[in-house]
Amino acid sequence: MADSSFDVVSKVDRQEVDNALNQAAKELSQRYDFRGTNTGIEWSGEENIVITSDAEERAQAGLEVFKEKLIKRSISLKVLDADEPQSSGKSYKISARIKQGIESDVAKKIAKLIRDEGPKGVKAQIQGEEIRVSSKKRDDLQECIALLKGAD
């Protein structure tokens, strides 16, 4: 009998992030406390987001609005990697990235967790930005899924 397996991946639904960004942009253009501050949010490439404003605190507030929209769309804030506001002339800019995939150090921690605390017959292999977990018994895999869901 062949081994059963599952993959541990970290992918974000780009359409949901785009919807959250569009909602945040609409709110930034309509809210009274953002009037006259030239605050905006937009894509900068495939995975990068730029928030611009005339005031540093309004740029931070724009980032918070975007975070709220991500939370409403059930997207974890762990995928958002935002920098500190940077001054460029008269305006402030915050650059943020949407993280995709599992970084190698995090993948090693997950594989170690599976080896140490998981059932005995389970093997974890790191394959690029994902982890393949395999075992002869499906019950062991289900235990492993429960273990990973319980961990952070």
Side-chain angles (χ1 to χ4, degrees), residues 44-63:
S44 171
E46 193 67 24
E47 302 291 325
N48 296 326
I49 294 167
V50 176
I51 301 167
T52 56
S53 181
D54 291 344
E56 183 178 357
E57 61 274 355
R58 290 292 94 197
Q60 286 283 19
L63 178 63

Side-chain angles (χ1 to χ4, degrees), residues 9-13 79 99-101 130:
V9 296
S10 174
K11 291 186 179 173
V12 179
D13 186 358
V79 302
K99 295 188 280 187
Q100 300 270 26
E130 59 184 46

Side-chain angles (χ1 to χ4, degrees), residues 56 59-60 83-87 92-95:
E56 183 178 357
Q60 286 283 19
D83 296 335
E84 291 298 314
Q86 296 172 339
S87 176
Y92 287 88
K93 183 191 292 186
I94 297 177
S95 298

Side-chain angles (χ1 to χ4, degrees), residues 9-66:
V9 296
S10 174
K11 291 186 179 173
V12 179
D13 186 358
R14 162 97 172 155
Q15 186 62 48
E16 287 295 322
V17 176
D18 193 42
N19 290 342
L21 185 123
N22 291 334
Q23 285 180 341
K26 185 175 182 181
E27 185 169 326
L28 292 178
S29 69
Q30 292 179 345
R31 266 182 40 183
Y32 70 93
D33 55 337
F34 286 106
R35 290 220 174 107
T37 61
N38 294 327
T39 304
I41 183 170
E42 61 188 19
W43 286 105
S44 171
E46 193 67 24
E47 302 291 325
N48 296 326
I49 294 167
V50 176
I51 301 167
T52 56
S53 181
D54 291 344
E56 183 178 357
E57 61 274 355
R58 290 292 94 197
Q60 286 283 19
L63 178 63
E64 292 303 315
V65 168
F66 180 56

